[in-house]
Amino acid sequence: MRLPPGLGWAFWLAFLLTGLVELALHSEAVMFRYRAVFAQGRAYDKLFEVERHPPQILFIGNSRTDNGIDPRAVERVWPGHVLRGFNLGLPGANAIVYHGEIRRLDERGLLGKAAIRTVVLGLDESALQEDNSLGYVSFLADRRALWDAARYRDWLGSHLRLWSYSGNLRQLREPDKALRFVEASVRSLDPVGGAAAAYSGYRAGFGAAQNAGQVAQQERAALHPPAPAVERFLWQAIDILQSRGVRVFVTLPPLRDRLSAFVDPRPEAASYRALLARLRQRGVIVLPTPTGFGPDDFVNAGHLNDRGAQRYSAELGHQLAAWKDR
């Protein structure tokens, strides 16, 4: 076999390996296998559990939901304890990802009276900012919605994942990450905090859950108004839910050092207060802001520890139960 001038076997081997990696990144089963390595793998762990066992009530949000709401604690205060809930919170996710998750569940016929009847959105400022640091958009965002929103770079990245996800793959240069990758390659390895099925999607907050940079980035979001291009996906997600008869609630996760911008009276938070008012106008039920949390209930400025999460979840359960027969 004659090769084109200048192209040896090394080139074609590299080309083949690149293609295989690209194919692997389009396999949900492969990404799920590495759920202890990549955040996207853990996202599939959660989504697969929702699809296997659709809950009556689904909690959607980012890390503040992931670490803050224990569906089992909600169930314990529910009348008769007959409630199946699940926490679909994904650290680093924003409204583009929420919309993609909801669209996926809708396409599988899981929204409505036959399955998921209630969705609770854990809403904070970072959910309405442009952020794809963990690469979810390439895997979970709805491609048609990306195209319609003229987000062509994100749309292309959903097809060329080796390119769009390269920043996350570079984490394999870290020794601990590389060792987990090798271990997950030879045996089934659950993510830190346990498998999604074991704790109904909840993962207790702990010191290693986020580094200082991630916490600072999430807190900085409170200083910026909602990004219109991201906010648009929030309204589209709510439209899908309401069109399927799903009851939509919003809860504002507790913060240690400040008020949520959605209830902050300062002028710079006006855009968030306006968004909250619009949610109410659209028929979304905004639950009372949780209060009474102290420093001992938090692992850092923006995330509850397990003690705080149990308190928050119980309060949330009582709030939701009050709407049960309305």
Side-chain angles (χ1 to χ4, degrees):
M1 175 181 177
R2 297 185 62 185
L3 298 174
L7 297 182
W9 288 107
F11 170 84
W12 291 109
L13 179 60
F15 184 81
L16 175 63
L17 291 175
T18 299
L20 290 174
V21 173
E22 181 67 38
L23 286 174
L25 290 172
H26 286 267
S27 167
E28 294 185 356
V30 170
M31 294 304 295
F32 168 75
R33 181 171 189 86
Y34 293 100
R35 59 197 179 277
V37 183
F38 300 114
Q40 181 56 47
R42 182 169 179 257
Y44 281 137
D45 186 23
K46 287 194 168 195
L47 277 167
F48 291 169
E49 180 61 20
V50 171
E51 291 164 3
R52 283 192 299 265
H53 305 290
Q56 296 163 283
I57 182 167
L58 184 65
F59 301 94
I60 294 178
N62 54 29
S63 57
R64 287 172 175 155
T65 296
D66 184 37
N67 299 150
I69 300 175
D70 184 347
R72 300 165 302 171
V74 175
E75 181 181 346
R76 284 193 289 270
V77 302
W78 194 263
H81 310 293
V82 286
L83 176 75
R84 171 169 164 74
F86 191 85
N87 182 331
L88 192 54
L90 300 179
N94 64 8
I96 298 174
V97 178
Y98 303 167
H99 171 269
E101 293 170 325
I102 289 166
R103 173 67 73 187
R104 175 186 173 115
L105 296 175
D106 184 41
E107 290 173 349
R108 286 159 173 75
L110 298 178
L111 299 180
K113 292 183 178 180
I116 300 167
R117 305 172 189 174
T118 301
V119 164
V120 179
L121 292 172
L123 207 55
D124 70 352
E125 306 89 357
S126 60
L128 296 162
Q129 303 299 322
E130 293 279 4
D131 178 27
N132 189 30
S133 57
L134 294 179
Y136 296 126
V137 170
S138 299
F139 295 83
L140 298 179
D142 181 70
R143 284 174 174 163
R144 181 172 180 177
L146 291 175
W147 183 269
D148 290 344
R151 299 182 70 95
Y152 303 125
R153 182 183 179 89
D154 288 331
W155 177 87
L156 184 61
S158 73
H159 291 278
L160 301 177
R161 290 177 179 170
L162 184 55
W163 164 61
S164 61
Y165 203 60
S166 60
N168 297 86
L169 294 175
R170 280 196 290 270
Q171 295 174 6
L172 292 174
R173 295 179 298 185
E174 302 170 11
D176 288 347
K177 203 88 164 179
L179 286 173
R180 282 203 303 275
F181 182 86
V182 172
E183 188 176 359
S185 298
V186 297
R187 71 179 184 91
S188 180
L189 190 64
D190 286 327
V192 174
Y199 303 101
S200 299
Y202 165 67
R203 177 166 67 178
F206 53 94
Q210 279 197 322
N211 62 40
Q214 290 171 320
V215 174
Q217 180 178 341
Q218 201 166 32
E219 285 300 294
R220 281 196 299 271
L223 304 175
H224 302 289
V230 179
E231 183 183 334
R232 189 177 301 117
F233 282 84
L234 174 67
W235 300 118
Q236 290 176 4
I238 290 170
D239 286 343
I240 295 170
L241 292 170
Q242 292 181 332
S243 71
R244 297 293 182 259
V246 175
R247 206 171 200 184
V248 184
F249 292 84
V250 159
T251 182
L252 306 177
L255 301 171
R256 188 187 66 193
D257 302 329
R258 63 175 177 85
L259 291 171
S260 166
F262 290 95
V263 293
D264 190 330
R266 294 179 298 175
E268 53 265 38
S271 56
Y272 286 100
R273 295 196 305 273
L275 192 150
L276 201 65
R278 187 179 171 193
L279 283 167
R280 291 189 175 103
Q281 292 169 359
R282 292 280 295 271
V284 174
I285 301 163
V286 179
L287 296 170
T289 305
T291 58
F293 293 86
D296 291 342
D297 293 315
F298 292 86
V299 69
N300 57 40
H303 297 83
L304 293 165
N305 57 25
D306 186 56
R307 167 181 148 166
Q310 298 306 314
R311 290 185 57 195
Y312 177 39
S313 302
E315 182 175 343
L316 196 54
H318 288 300
Q319 291 176 349
L320 292 168
W323 287 89
K324 179 175 177 289
D325 298 318
R326 295 192 194 181

